[in-house]
Amino acid sequence: AQKITQTQPGMFVQEKEAVTLDCTYDTSDQSYGLFWYKQPSSGEMIFLIYQGSYDEQNATEGRYSLNFQKARKSANLVISASQLGDSAMYFCAMIPHNTDKLIFGTGTRLQVFP
Amino acid sequence: NAGVTQTPKFQVLKTGQSMTLQCAQDMNHEYMSWYRQDPGMGLRLIHYSVGAGITDQGEVPNGYNVSRSTTEDFPLRLLSAAPSQTSVYFCASSYSGQGANNSPLHFGNGTRLTVT
């Protein structure tokens, strides 16, 4: 079965420090895409970063980077230089090849403190 | 651009009532979908559509109907609301679903539905 697992229900990080949010996935497909979304307390879902399974380099978008380890089936999100505004729920998601069904993990709540 | 617009933002229903959650996008996206978000369960796909006239079931379709008569609109219908359908509902769209794995979803702001 295709599944996304986020084992950290909550994480704390001090402002300006880096933090890693874990995500592992389960699929037998060779081609798939991985996404991270942010959901602030206001409730909207914000796209952060995408990694394709055939991408040779880890994706980066500003302070966000995706630590993609295909053999381990992990796609951890790294946030560098955390800011108070990074406090939110973070969801990892996967779309297997030739499907239209984006599968989400249960999320990690990140709290950044001064 | 308005992006993805969902209405209403809040709704309270009594068990057995019906209603339609509206979703419209102005980005000419082919792919549209509905998710529900429940505490501790993340987002689960209810129904999706890859284009006008085409719909398919997601992970939790029971109790919900959809139709896609235009590219812009993708309403979600609850025919007979049940307390188990109390949730936050998100509509989302993307340029292309199938085969375009790098097309991120654009989400609406959600509808918080309570069924008593």
Side-chain angles (χ1 to χ4, degrees):
Chain A
Q2 292 160 339
K3 187 179 178 181
I4 291 281
T5 301
Q6 294 181 254
T7 58
Q8 307 155 314
M11 289 284 287
F12 289 89
V13 65
Q14 190 167 28
E15 199 175 8
K16 300 181 184 178
E17 297 294 313
V19 63
T20 297
L21 307 183
D22 294 341
C23 172
T24 58
Y25 57 92
D26 186 12
T27 181
S28 57
D29 290 351
Q30 295 301 308
S31 177
Y32 48 88
L34 297 158
F35 299 82
W36 278 91
Y37 286 85
K38 172 184 178 181
Q39 186 178 41
S41 57
S42 51
E44 71 269 30
M45 295 287 289
I46 302 167
F47 165 72
L48 294 178
I49 196 166
Y50 165 83
Q51 178 84 42
S53 60
Y54 288 117
D55 294 341
E56 294 185 353
Q57 293 191 339
N58 288 342
T60 60
E61 290 286 348
R63 295 187 298 110
Y64 304 109
S65 60
L66 200 152
N67 184 1
F68 180 48
Q69 298 187 41
K70 193 170 183 177
R72 298 181 60 184
K73 293 188 176 179
S74 74
N76 299 339
L77 178 70
V78 180
I79 305 174
S80 63
S82 297
Q83 302 172 355
L84 296 177
D86 293 335
S87 294
M89 282 288 287
Y90 289 81
F91 291 96
C92 180
M94 173 181 67
I95 185 164
H97 182 61
N98 278 342
T99 77
D100 301 296
K101 301 181 179 181
L102 189 61
I103 303 164
F104 282 84
T106 53
T108 296
R109 181 171 298 281
L110 175 67
Q111 296 189 50
V112 181
F113 59 93
Chain B
N1 275 345
V4 179
T5 303
Q6 285 184 241
T7 55
K9 291 186 178 180
F10 302 93
Q11 184 70 50
V12 179
L13 292 177
K14 293 184 178 179
T15 297
Q17 286 185 318
S18 63
M19 81 158 295
T20 299
L21 306 185
Q22 301 292 343
C23 176
Q25 53 89 10
D26 61 0
M27 297 173 283
N28 203 30
H29 284 169
E30 290 295 325
Y31 179 85
M32 297 186 73
S33 54
W34 277 100
Y35 287 85
R36 61 176 289 172
Q37 183 178 21
D38 302 294
M41 302 191 73
L43 281 80
R44 293 182 293 168
L45 181 64
I46 304 172
H47 286 284
Y48 66 96
S49 168
V50 299
I54 306 169
T55 63
D56 206 345
Q57 295 181 350
E59 181 185 357
V60 288
N62 292 341
Y64 307 96
N65 282 348
V66 292
S67 61
R68 184 93 179 269
S69 56
T70 66
T71 299
E72 295 77 19
D73 300 300
F74 191 45
L76 179 71
R77 297 185 189 85
L78 285 71
L79 297 179
S80 179
S84 61
Q85 294 178 305
T86 294
S87 187
V88 179
Y89 291 85
F90 286 98
C91 180
S93 71
S94 66
Y95 177 73
S96 177
Q98 185 172 8
N101 290 343
N102 63 346
S103 181
L105 287 175
H106 297 257
F107 283 83
N109 287 333
T111 296
R112 186 174 295 275
L113 175 68
T114 302
V115 183
T116 61

